[in-house]
Amino acid sequence: MFFRLCARAPLTTMESSAAGVMVIEDPAERWHRLQLAFSQRTDAVWTGDDLMALLGLLRSLDEKVAAPDWRNQEFVAVGVEGVRRWWARVRTSRPDGLRLLVRTRGGAFGRQFLVARAGLRAWHDLEPPIERSGPRVTLKRRGPEDEIWFELARPEEFRAPGFRRLLEDLLRGFAENGR
């Protein structure tokens, strides 16, 4: 009986931030920022503030980058005004890191170039190390455009100036391809 009453009550979630207490009104945004997609038995290496910082970085690249679309429960999509497709997706359904997928013009960049520019160290080289294997940067050719996956484990990885310049180049390639 108690659980049935709680399920019907409207839920307002409070999240602390540096500026004080913030109310997350949108339930779709709350889903991602409070990490409800994965089991809470596993501690996440990222927080809702990290997600907002990454989305803020994406939006700061150009004034045409649109507001995030929170509707999917696996990822947050970011589009570009004037282009009907999404440009970037941030997968929030994994506790061991944020996966950023970015689209760009096909054939514009090679994998080794992307790995060097992104500056992401191997999983075992992180401090503390993360028990994962596989590449931190993946390039997939999809017809006229490429999809680039960045496996981000720490906020300082996407705050590096080189990573920002790489994202600017990828956005420019996407915008040229979208015309």
Side-chain angles (χ1 to χ4, degrees):
M1 181 73 171
F2 173 74
F3 293 111
R4 190 176 302 143
L5 291 173
C6 290
R8 292 181 187 164
L11 179 63
T12 300
T13 303
M14 306 297 266
E15 182 178 310
S16 72
S17 68
V21 177
M22 177 175 45
V23 177
I24 305 173
E25 295 289 342
D26 182 4
E29 181 180 348
R30 184 180 324 118
W31 173 268
H32 292 282
R33 291 184 62 188
L34 297 182
Q35 305 168 335
L36 299 177
F38 54 86
S39 168
Q40 296 302 316
R41 287 177 278 171
T42 304
D43 289 337
V45 299
W46 62 274
T47 67
D49 289 340
D50 298 335
L51 172 62
M52 295 307 292
L54 179 56
L55 292 172
L57 169 65
L58 296 175
R59 301 255 351 253
S60 71
L61 297 175
D62 192 295
E63 66 272 354
K64 291 190 174 190
V65 176
D69 179 359
W70 300 96
R71 294 177 290 184
N72 189 297
Q73 292 188 342
E74 184 177 349
F75 57 82
V76 179
V78 177
V80 175
E81 292 176 18
V83 181
R84 298 182 79 175
R85 303 174 332 270
W86 55 267
W87 165 60
R89 285 183 173 173
V90 181
R91 184 173 178 196
T92 61
S93 60
R94 298 180 65 147
D96 56 354
L98 293 170
R99 177 183 280 175
L100 173 63
L101 166 62
V102 179
R103 290 177 169 167
T104 193
R105 180 180 65 247
F109 304 99
R111 184 180 178 284
Q112 295 301 342
F113 175 80
L114 293 167
V115 168
R117 288 272 311 268
L120 302 177
R121 296 183 308 186
W123 295 110
H124 61 276
D125 289 338
L126 296 173
E127 203 48 55
I130 294 179
E131 296 297 322
R132 278 188 65 187
S133 60
R136 304 276 314 272
V137 179
T138 304
L139 171 65
K140 296 182 181 181
R141 307 266 186 218
R142 304 264 191 227
E145 59 188 20
D146 291 346
E147 291 182 355
I148 299 126
W149 294 89
F150 298 102
E151 301 285 348
L152 303 171
R154 308 279 192 273
E156 53 273 6
E157 293 178 333
F158 61 81
R159 291 187 177 122
F163 193 74
R164 178 187 176 88
R165 285 190 297 274
L166 174 60
L167 289 176
E168 289 170 345
D169 292 342
L170 296 173
L171 174 61
R172 197 171 312 111
F174 177 78
E176 291 170 3
N177 204 37
R179 291 182 195 149

